[in-house]
Each structure stands twice: as C-alpha cells, then as structure tokens.
C-alpha cells in the first residue's frame, strides 16, 4: 500500500511522465517535464527506491557538497505535484527520472500504484527520438495510444508498432491494461543535430500537451531559447555546403509529404488551435513555436552538427540512424522517415 501523507486532494489530475535515456533524444521530453515542474513550482512527494531499479555502474550516483558536508544523490525517479490554477484549474502529477535498468514490470506497478491512489484520470508519457526531419521546419509531434476508443475520441493514432521498445512503451501498455486512459507524445529530433538540449522540440511537446490536456502552460524563456537554437544551427549549416544541401533535401521531402495538408481546412484548424492555446496573448509565429524572424544567437557550438553515430561533424547522406536511439516506428512517430502527428503538424 502506498502512503501519501501531506499530498492534498487533487483536481482532475493528469500524470505526465518522461524518462532520460533511450526515449529522450535531445533531452526534449525530460526537459519538458522539468519545465512544468520549474514554472509551476512542483513539490516532490515521492521517489522510487533507487536500489530496486538502477544499475549504479550504468547510472552512477553523484557526490556534492552542502555547506562543507558531502552528500550523495542517487539516480531515481521522483514524483511531484503542481497546481496549474487558471479559470479551469487542473492538477498535474509529474514523474521524471531515468529509464530503469531492471525490473520494469515492478517499476510500472509502482507508478500505477501512485496513479491509483491519487485518482489520476489520464496518463501522458512524453518521448523524443531521432528522425529524418529538418531543423528549419516545425517539429513533428505525434500522439499515439493503444486504446481504440481514445484514439477515435481524441483524434490520435492507434499504435501498431512491433519491435524493441523502451520504458515509455512498457508503461503505456501497463496503464492501458490497468484501465487508465494513456497517450504518448513523441517529438522527432533532427538526427544531424542530436546534441542536447533541443528547446525547439521541448516547446513542441509542451504545445501539443496544452491541446491534449486543455492546459495553458507558461513558456517562460523557452520560445526565445528555441529561436536562438534554430538560428545557431542555421548559421553552422550555412558554413558547410554539404550540410546545407542535406538540409535542403530534407526540407523538400517534408514539404512534399505535407502538401495535401496545405488546405484551407488545415490552416483554419491550426489557427483555431493557436488562438485556443494563447488565449489572445502574443505567441509564436508558426507551429512548433518559432517566430518568422528569429533573433541572433549569442554563441555557436560545433556539436550541433555532429552525427553521433559516426563522430563526423557533417551529416552523411540518408542512412540508418544512431542505434542508441529507439527506431522510428508508428509507436513513436507514425509511418515514414519524417514522423508526424495525427494532423500532419505539431
């Protein structure tokens, strides 16, 4: 039995989860949950026992000084609660940690125990993966579920993925079998600029989460960080003709694939989504959170253009991506090399 002393009664709670590791390309998913925790001043109320789920030779503890006293922080998964306020308040249970090394079924059962005790109405799991998507276009975010009814009522893709999976896929199935409505949101990160952080992908996940959970999320400095990130990559790509050519080929493939969506109905749908999300406040100039005229970035980092699978600083022609990341699949991104959400947009 899970004891939850000191946790107030929650209002229409939604559990939002993200895990560092295989399902977190560019740290986009874990950064999204960290942003929610920071902006809404989350209060940690629980943590899973690190010895039950982590191999400390893989995820090592860290030692730090607190007023001259040495302390140890163990890798684990922590739970916090935030109150969103607003006209229609809704509480969030945030689950953030590292993908466990072992005993995944017990790990998921613990998370489910917390969800049951807190009266969680829906679980949203965030993930990000490497994809053949250009950094100059809106970040594709797909929403998938294993529940056919939920897929139909919330306009989501029904997962038909078969193959290796991470803790995101296992937790989604565990929640579904437990009867808890569950959705996973996946952002596609350009594989040629995979170094974290990727604020543009984080922003895209939060924008999609706003629509899904009917929230209004304070974005803070994130839109500015996303603009600076894109301009930094633009500048580095412009310095290498091979990189620029490769990005252009990805842009052409993406634009061709999305051409059927460039209809009046699709544009109207996106504009309505924008108005609903921003509620009349100034916002990003295009889907994915980037303005049309990004400001100048403060610095450059050559790791932006590093292909981590080969160590080269320029992208190769299209080839299999880094095996350390989950495969692009309909569980993660929907069909095709440039994963997209149900609407074909983020």
């Amino acid at each position: 039995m899970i004891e939850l002393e000191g946790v107030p009664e929650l209002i229409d709670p939604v559990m939002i989860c993200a895990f560092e590791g295989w399902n977190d390309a560019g740290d986009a998913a874990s950064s999204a949950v960290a942003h929610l925790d920071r902006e809404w001043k989350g209060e940690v109320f629980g943590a899973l026992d690190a010895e039950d789920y982590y191999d400390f030779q893989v995820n090592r503890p860290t030692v730090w000084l607190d007023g001259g006293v040495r302390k140890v922080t163990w890798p684990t998964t922590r739970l916090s609660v935030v109150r969103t306020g607003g006209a229609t308040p809704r509480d969030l249970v945030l689950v953030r940690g590292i993908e466990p090394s072992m005993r995944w079924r017990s790990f998921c059962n613990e998370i489910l125990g917390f969800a049951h005790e807190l009266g969680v109405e829906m679980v949203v799991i965030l993930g990000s993966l490497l994809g053949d998507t250009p950094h100059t276009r809106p970040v594709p975010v797909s929403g998938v579920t294993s529940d056919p009814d939920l897929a139909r009522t919330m306009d989501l893709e029904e997962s038909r993925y078969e193959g290796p999976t991470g803790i995101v896929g296992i937790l989604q199935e565990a929640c579904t079998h437990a009867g808890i409505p569950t959705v996973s949101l996946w952002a596609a990160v350009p594989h040629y600029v995979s170094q974290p952080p990727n604020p543009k992908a984080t922003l895209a996940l939060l924008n999609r989460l706003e629509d899904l959970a009917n929230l209004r999320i304070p974005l803070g400095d994130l839109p500015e960080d996303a603009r600076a990130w894109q301009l930094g990559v633009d500048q580095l790509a412009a310095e290498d003709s091979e990189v620029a050519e490769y990005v252009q080929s990805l842009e052409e493939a993406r634009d061709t694939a999305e051409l059927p969506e460039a209809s009046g109905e699709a544009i109207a749908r996106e504009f309505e989504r924008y108005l609903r999300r921003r509620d009349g406040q100034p916002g990003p100039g295009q889907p994915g959170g980037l303005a049309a005229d990004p400001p100048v970035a403060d610095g450059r980092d050559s790791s932006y253009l590093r292909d981590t699978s080969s160590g080269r600083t320029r992208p190769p022609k299209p080839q299999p991506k880094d095996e350390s990341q989950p495969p692009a699949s309909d569980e993660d991104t929907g069909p095709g090399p440039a994963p997209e959400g149900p609407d074909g947009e983020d």
Side-chain angles (χ1 to χ4, degrees):
M1 175 66 68
I2 294 176
E3 300 291 341
L4 294 174
E5 297 182 1
V7 178
E9 184 175 351
L10 304 182
I11 302 173
D12 299 332
V14 173
M15 178 176 280
I16 302 174
C17 312
F19 303 95
E20 300 173 19
W22 200 59
N23 299 136
D24 193 26
D27 291 353
S30 58
S31 294
V33 174
H35 177 87
L36 297 174
D37 189 77
R38 182 171 56 253
E39 291 294 323
W40 275 317
K41 297 178 174 56
E43 298 181 6
V44 175
F45 66 86
L48 278 60
D49 191 335
E51 289 202 359
D52 288 342
Y53 304 112
Y54 295 99
D55 180 345
F56 299 140
Q57 291 183 326
V58 176
N59 297 292
R60 293 186 179 273
T62 57
V63 178
W64 55 287
L65 294 176
D66 181 13
V69 179
R70 292 172 66 84
K71 295 187 176 182
V72 177
T73 299
W74 296 92
T76 187
T77 294
R78 293 180 172 83
L79 295 90
S80 59
V81 62
V82 301
R83 309 213 123 173
T84 64
T88 55
R90 159 165 265 177
D91 295 331
L92 304 180
V93 179
L94 305 180
V95 180
R96 180 162 61 106
I98 304 170
E99 183 176 64
S101 307
M102 61 194 83
R103 303 183 66 214
W104 283 16
R105 286 178 291 186
S106 297
F107 180 89
C108 292
N109 285 336
E110 279 212 54
I111 300 296
L112 286 171
F114 281 107
H116 175 72
E117 289 296 317
L118 293 167
V120 166
E121 298 184 349
M122 182 171 66
V123 174
V124 181
I125 312 172
L126 306 183
S128 53
L129 53 93
L130 301 181
D132 290 329
T133 181
H135 73 278
T136 53
R137 295 294 187 266
V139 175
V141 177
S142 59
V144 297
T145 181
S146 298
D147 186 332
D149 294 333
L150 196 62
R152 182 174 57 257
T153 57
M154 301 190 73
D155 193 23
L156 301 167
E157 298 175 14
E158 185 177 351
S159 175
R160 301 195 179 279
Y161 171 74
E162 297 178 311
T165 190
I167 193 63
V168 169
I170 298 301
L171 180 58
Q172 177 173 333
E173 290 305 305
C175 292
T176 299
H177 288 302
I180 302 176
T182 307
V183 176
S184 60
L185 300 179
W186 289 91
V189 173
H191 70 87
Y192 60 91
V193 56
S194 59
Q195 297 295 326
N198 189 319
K200 183 176 180 181
T202 296
L203 183 62
L205 281 171
L206 292 175
N207 285 341
R208 186 65 183 275
L209 180 62
E210 279 189 322
D211 294 336
L212 183 70
N214 192 26
L215 295 170
R216 182 165 174 204
I217 299 172
L219 298 178
D221 295 331
L222 198 53
E224 184 72 13
D225 293 341
R227 286 188 286 266
W229 176 88
Q230 176 163 330
L231 186 60
V233 181
D234 285 343
Q235 292 172 335
L236 290 167
E239 295 172 0
D240 189 313
S241 59
E242 191 172 338
V243 172
E245 180 182 352
Y246 182 64
V247 172
Q248 184 178 3
S249 70
L250 293 178
E251 291 173 337
E252 292 172 352
R254 174 76 179 272
D255 294 345
T256 300
E258 291 187 343
L259 189 59
E261 284 295 316
S263 64
E265 181 180 350
I267 294 171
R269 183 171 61 247
E270 180 57 35
F271 185 62
E272 290 173 359
R273 178 183 299 168
Y274 168 81
L275 292 177
R276 183 172 64 252
R277 180 185 299 140
R278 289 293 139 239
D279 192 25
Q281 298 297 320
Q286 57 178 315
L290 294 189
D293 298 311
V296 177
D298 294 330
R300 301 183 182 183
D301 181 355
S302 61
S303 65
Y304 277 142
L305 299 178
R306 181 170 296 278
D307 176 6
T308 55
S309 64
S310 65
R312 291 175 291 197
T313 56
R314 63 180 62 186
K317 298 303 181 184
Q319 62 180 18
K321 294 177 281 298
D322 188 345
E323 292 298 329
S324 68
Q325 293 296 334
S329 66
D330 68 336
E331 175 189 283
D332 303 335
T333 63
E340 300 180 4
D343 300 329
E345 306 175 39
D346 68 335

